[in-house]
Amino acid sequence: MLFEAETWVAVAFLILLGVFGYFGVHRTILQALDHRRDRIQKELDDARRLKDEAVKLVAEYRARRESAEREAQDIVESAKAEAERIAVEAKAKMEDFVARRTKSAENKIAQAEMQAIADVRAAAADAAVYAASSVLSQTVRGQIADSLLDKGIKDVREKLN
């Protein structure tokens, strides 16, 4: 057992551990492990903090998006209401315009009819006066003819106009 390689490996290992213990290598290794643990813990804390910030940002952006969607919906509804109001207003204006134009056209037609009637009456009166004057001038002569002619023309004009 004294000459076996495993024994000497175990003895060398124990001597190595003793040398390490004497020079304080175990403390250095423990410090390195502690530093590594602290660094990993810090990274985990940073990761948690970043995760919390990301969750907050996601919630904030969702709230902003919902707010923007509500605002967009309000704008769309407002635009629809405004468009309907403008359409109703335009329809009312168009109906008013058509009614005024119709009334104006009816007035013009009525004036034209009255003018035509007046023109026809004047033409008829002139024709009657001309006919009466030519009949009377051929049948009646003198002062009586002139007074009858004037009276007849006056009567015809009053009745026809």
Side-chain angles (χ1 to χ4, degrees), residues 30-43:
L30 288 176
Q31 283 179 349
L33 288 175
D34 287 342
H35 287 299
R36 184 170 181 192
R37 181 198 67 211
D38 292 341
R39 184 177 47 98
I40 290 172
Q41 185 64 40
K42 184 181 175 192
E43 288 176 1

Side-chain angles (χ1 to χ4, degrees), residues 80-101:
K80 283 181 181 178
E82 182 70 16
E84 288 175 8
R85 184 189 62 77
I86 289 172
V88 167
E89 196 174 283
K91 183 179 177 185
K93 284 182 181 179
M94 183 60 77
E95 288 173 355
D96 183 48
F97 175 74
V98 168
R100 282 188 317 209
R101 286 296 228 180

Side-chain angles (χ1 to χ4, degrees), residues 14-116:
L14 289 175
I15 292 172
L16 181 66
L17 284 179
V19 170
F20 282 166
Y22 178 77
F23 287 110
V25 172
H26 64 286
R27 281 184 235 118
T28 307
I29 292 174
L30 288 176
Q31 283 179 349
L33 288 175
D34 287 342
H35 287 299
R36 184 170 181 192
R37 181 198 67 211
D38 292 341
R39 184 177 47 98
I40 290 172
Q41 185 64 40
K42 184 181 175 192
E43 288 176 1
L44 285 174
D45 292 342
D46 287 344
R48 282 190 198 106
R49 183 182 52 80
L50 289 173
K51 179 184 172 194
D52 292 342
E53 287 178 10
V55 167
K56 287 178 185 177
L57 282 175
V58 166
E60 182 181 333
Y61 283 124
R62 283 184 181 157
R64 283 184 185 176
R65 187 194 75 210
E66 290 172 1
S67 174
E69 286 175 356
R70 281 192 304 271
E71 186 176 333
Q73 186 66 28
D74 290 344
I75 289 171
V76 167
E77 289 173 4
S78 173
K80 283 181 181 178
E82 182 70 16
E84 288 175 8
R85 184 189 62 77
I86 289 172
V88 167
E89 196 174 283
K91 183 179 177 185
K93 284 182 181 179
M94 183 60 77
E95 288 173 355
D96 183 48
F97 175 74
V98 168
R100 282 188 317 209
R101 286 296 228 180
T102 303
K103 188 172 183 174
S104 174
E106 288 172 353
N107 288 339
K108 286 182 182 178
I109 290 170
Q111 287 176 354
E113 285 177 354
M114 293 187 68
Q115 183 65 38

